[in-house]
Amino acid sequence: MVPTVVRKALISSALISTLLAVAACTGGDGGGADRSPDGRDAEPTGGIEEIAGYYSDPRLPEHLSEVEISLPDPNTGESEATAKAQVLSLDRSGDSVRLVGAWLRPASGSSLGSHELTGGSNYFHTVPWIRLIDEHAEQVIEPLYSPETDVMSNDRKDTCLCSRTTSKEQAEGFVPTEIELFYADFPAPESDTVSVMLGEFLEPSAEIPVSASEPFENPAEGTAEFDVPSDSGAPPAEYGAESAQRSVLPFTSRVRSVTGSSVSVEDEQTELSLPADVLFDVDSSELDGDAEAVLDGAIDTLRTTAQGQEVVIAGHTDDQGEEDYNQTLSEERAETVRDYIEPKLADDGISFTTEGFGETDPLAPNLTADGDPNEDNRALNRRVSFVYQPSAEGDLSVETGEELPEAPAMTETDAPDGALASAILEQPGDRGDTPLRIDLHEVVETGDRVRIGYSFALVDGEPVNPNFFYGTSQITSHLHFGVNSFGMPKNPSSSNVTVVGTESGQQYWPMTGDGLSCLCTEAAGTRINAFTMISPMYADYPKAAIEESGTVLRFADSGEWDLDLPSLVGQSAAEGSS
């Protein structure tokens, strides 16, 4: 059996999608046929038909959830291209579940291909990137992977036990000759309901039920087909495989103080981290420079928040160098910090143990999806952490001497229809001068989290630019959203869009599944393209982000938008105030 990646879930919340909705529409077939509420024939005869504006086969079962997807037409950028993805089945068998879906083309206008479901924003990826969210167990559940998959790499997005989704966009007037079905197998969730994350940029669905031993049986064979590498044309009868790798990731929050320390929460344990770069020289475990002053600040924090506890001092490195060397260095650095701190807290009822993790427990990917170094993430991963459960209310920030770089103030502008507010994000650096308009669409509280939905578009009058975000990992100064932590480095992502409390000095990052899967737009649906029509994005943050007395929405180091987010909670441009 191949080793698995299975970790406990952490922070509870409910994901409520404003993009996914169960449709109940009357189909306009122009005739007198008896139709069911969703537009299907009462007695379906089979074949491709227009149902509620999309081509489908009425013999397919009623969907559990669906999402209507709209993006600028990839060919022109001047009109919308659409599609609909439906979840038809989510069934459990043993310790695995199988999701089956259908990709539907619109009856009018340009259509998007099922390639929109792929991950990694790589044109050559061929399988769907789908994840399940178990709200009750507080876990992100990734697909089952083949035994040779590196489950820490972005390459995993193309190695699931699943079908292929390879069709591309089509111009207006396209009529499909078959309905695309797709499937993916997953580790079974602990709960009986889950949310579904389709692709990299769509918000999660509302919760849907998981059936038991009710496998999908295709009632429309010959019209509705899977793209699978087998002669049968159908998924394997057994869900999953004995040798498959399982990746079940805990919800993780990360909050960074503008003074340089950071806090993440996992399994109800708080990890207060100090950058190793302010404590040690490269390849050294001896305290350096102002390290003692920084550790004195940590002592004050521990004295007020960790009394009566056992604190684990954990050393971490990035991925540079040999793994054995990094393991030893992390252990030695943890011991050095304990030797300095422990005597000074001898009378405070705090005990200490040390542990080294080397490069095995990063807060963020060390490499981009291209396999190049992500130096910002590497610096984040080089750290010494204090792991404990705070026993009292208190400020967990520690002054490290580092400061949050200044970012230009964004200028508000007229909001288009469908937006609560808009502002201009100027292009950073000296490699271009093309601003984006950022449109805020929703601020919705979801349990212990808050979801911020927004979009970007070229400012009116700018020419359509199908390669606007083109670049290399060495040339990133012109990227409005910074270097993508969860996809191709140049593709717009919410991974660097943060909420900053102006009074507390706390910077809230999007929630993740153990730092590997983002509860956010991992890559925009338009990928490296930019149009005057909008590209949707979103991110989920810890609820504390909207409990601040003053807030700023920060886009990497490119711009800051002074927004009173607490006053906007519950508002959605699509639905009005709740």
Side-chain angles (χ1 to χ4, degrees), residues 255-262 272-275 278 294 301 395-405 500 504-507:
V255 182
R256 181 184 185 275
S257 169
V258 295
T259 61
S261 61
S262 66
L272 169 61
S273 297
L274 305 178
V278 304
V294 173
T301 298
D395 183 5
L396 294 180
S397 63
V398 177
E399 178 65 58
T400 68
E402 294 187 338
E403 296 182 356
L404 189 64
V500 180
S504 70
Q506 300 299 304
Q507 183 179 24

Side-chain angles (χ1 to χ4, degrees), residues 131-144:
R131 290 158 290 166
L132 307 179
I133 297 180
D134 187 335
E135 293 290 350
H136 307 284
E138 303 161 347
Q139 296 171 336
V140 176
I141 304 173
E142 294 193 350
L144 291 169

Side-chain angles (χ1 to χ4, degrees), residues 10 90 204 221 252 317 395 445:
L10 306 176
L90 185 60
E221 288 186 3
T252 305
T317 71
D395 183 5
E445 190 174 327

Side-chain angles (χ1 to χ4, degrees), residues 104-278:
L104 308 182
R105 303 273 187 168
S108 63
S110 301
S111 65
L112 297 166
S114 60
H115 185 258
E116 296 298 338
L117 293 179
T118 61
S121 296
N122 185 325
Y123 193 79
F124 299 102
H125 278 197
T126 61
V127 302
W129 175 234
I130 303 174
R131 290 158 290 166
L132 307 179
I133 297 180
D134 187 335
E135 293 290 350
H136 307 284
E138 303 161 347
Q139 296 171 336
V140 176
I141 304 173
E142 294 193 350
L144 291 169
Y145 295 121
S146 57
E148 65 276 9
T149 300
D150 179 358
V151 296
M152 302 289 286
S153 166
N154 271 289
D155 290 340
R156 75 192 191 283
K157 294 183 178 181
D158 200 38
T159 63
C160 62
L161 274 59
C162 53
S163 62
R164 292 187 290 238
T165 46
T166 58
S167 69
K168 303 301 189 291
E169 65 275 359
Q170 295 288 342
E172 185 171 5
F174 175 75
V175 178
T177 58
E178 67 178 33
I179 305 303
E180 295 182 64
L181 300 179
F182 58 89
Y183 86 93
D185 290 348
F186 299 84
E190 296 181 17
S191 305
D192 294 330
T193 59
V194 295
S195 302
V196 180
M197 298 177 74
L198 295 167
E200 293 187 306
F201 68 95
L202 296 169
E203 294 185 14
S205 75
E207 290 185 314
I208 61 176
V210 181
S211 61
S213 299
E214 298 178 11
F216 175 80
E217 295 183 4
N218 187 1
E221 288 186 3
T223 301
E225 299 290 342
F226 294 93
D227 184 356
V228 293
S230 70
D231 295 335
S232 68
E238 298 294 327
Y239 300 175
E242 185 68 21
S243 60
Q245 295 197 79
R246 309 169 73 83
S247 182
V248 180
L249 307 171
F251 287 2
T252 305
S253 66
R254 177 162 68 91
V255 182
R256 181 184 185 275
S257 169
V258 295
T259 61
S261 61
S262 66
V263 173
S264 61
V265 179
E266 183 172 322
D267 198 19
E268 298 186 354
Q269 292 293 304
T270 296
E271 178 181 307
L272 169 61
S273 297
L274 305 178
D277 295 354
V278 304

Side-chain angles (χ1 to χ4, degrees), residues 42-112:
E43 296 180 1
T45 57
I48 295 177
E49 297 182 12
E50 179 184 340
I51 300 175
Y54 288 85
Y55 290 116
S56 186
D57 189 312
R59 294 172 296 177
L60 290 174
E62 183 67 26
H63 57 267
L64 299 174
S65 73
E66 66 177 13
V67 56
E68 293 187 89
I69 305 164
S70 177
L71 289 172
D73 187 322
N75 294 312
T76 68
E78 297 177 350
S79 61
E80 287 186 336
T82 59
K84 181 184 284 187
Q86 295 183 331
V87 178
L88 304 180
S89 173
L90 185 60
D91 185 61
R92 180 194 310 265
S93 178
D95 61 357
S96 300
V97 298
R98 174 167 293 168
L99 179 146
V100 175
W103 184 265
L104 308 182
R105 303 273 187 168
S108 63
S110 301
S111 65
L112 297 166

